[in-house]
Amino acid sequence: MTTTSTPTRPSAAAELIADFVSTGGRLTDRADLARFLRDHRLVTEGAIPITLADLDEAITLRDGIRAFLDASDTPDPEVLGRAQKVLDGLRVTVRLEPTEQAESPLAPAVVDEVRRGLARIAGAWAAVLATGEWCRMRR
């Protein structure tokens, strides 16, 4: 008797992380970051003041997650360390009653729009780690 496994659809958190790490050359300036955050509904509509430091943090976080997920290579500890520093600087809180469309029970605890968007990515990453879904995302 042959058994087949049914492929499971990635969670919303995993889809967000997959999109984030695959931005590659599409995350080269502040406009690209604003577009990504808006397209994924991580920030509200309207003008988003994005600094070069914000862009650098987003790229650093993306590169760290990408390095972690790259199964073909041992991640550079410096790349992971820089990404961890970004995560350590993001303030999140736990939702008492998470909404259905939330990628994670973690919610941003910051006012700045860009940092809220990055905190939502951090929440999605936490959900992917907690469920073990990151194992299926390894490249």
Side-chain angles (χ1 to χ4, degrees):
M1 174 182 226
T2 304
T3 59
T4 59
S5 63
T6 304
T8 58
R9 179 167 162 45
S11 68
E15 287 178 349
L16 174 60
I17 294 301
D19 287 350
F20 185 59
V21 298
S22 67
T23 56
R26 295 185 321 266
L27 190 56
T28 58
D29 61 25
R30 294 180 287 181
D32 292 338
L33 178 56
R35 189 171 17 267
F36 179 86
L37 294 173
R38 276 194 196 100
D39 289 350
H40 289 82
R41 298 184 191 164
L42 301 176
V43 295
T44 58
E45 289 298 321
I48 306 171
I50 298 177
T51 66
L52 292 175
D54 292 332
L55 177 63
D56 185 53
E57 279 195 331
I59 292 170
T60 298
L61 180 56
R62 185 222 31 217
D63 291 349
I65 294 172
R66 181 187 287 158
F68 182 80
L69 291 175
D70 188 357
S72 66
D73 197 12
T74 302
D76 181 341
E78 288 184 27
V79 171
L80 296 181
R82 287 191 299 269
Q84 186 62 56
K85 188 174 179 180
V86 171
L87 288 172
D88 291 346
L90 297 172
R91 293 187 52 222
V92 296
T93 187
V94 178
R95 296 176 192 268
L96 187 57
E97 295 183 71
T99 60
E100 284 185 31
Q101 63 271 30
E103 287 88 13
S104 165
L106 297 177
V110 292
V111 177
D112 176 86
E113 281 293 314
V114 176
R115 301 208 43 89
R116 286 176 62 83
L118 293 178
R120 286 185 172 111
I121 292 169
W125 180 242
V128 166
L129 289 176
T131 62
E133 197 170 9
W134 67 272
C135 295
R136 291 190 302 274
M137 298 176 68
R138 292 197 97 168
R139 303 185 278 167

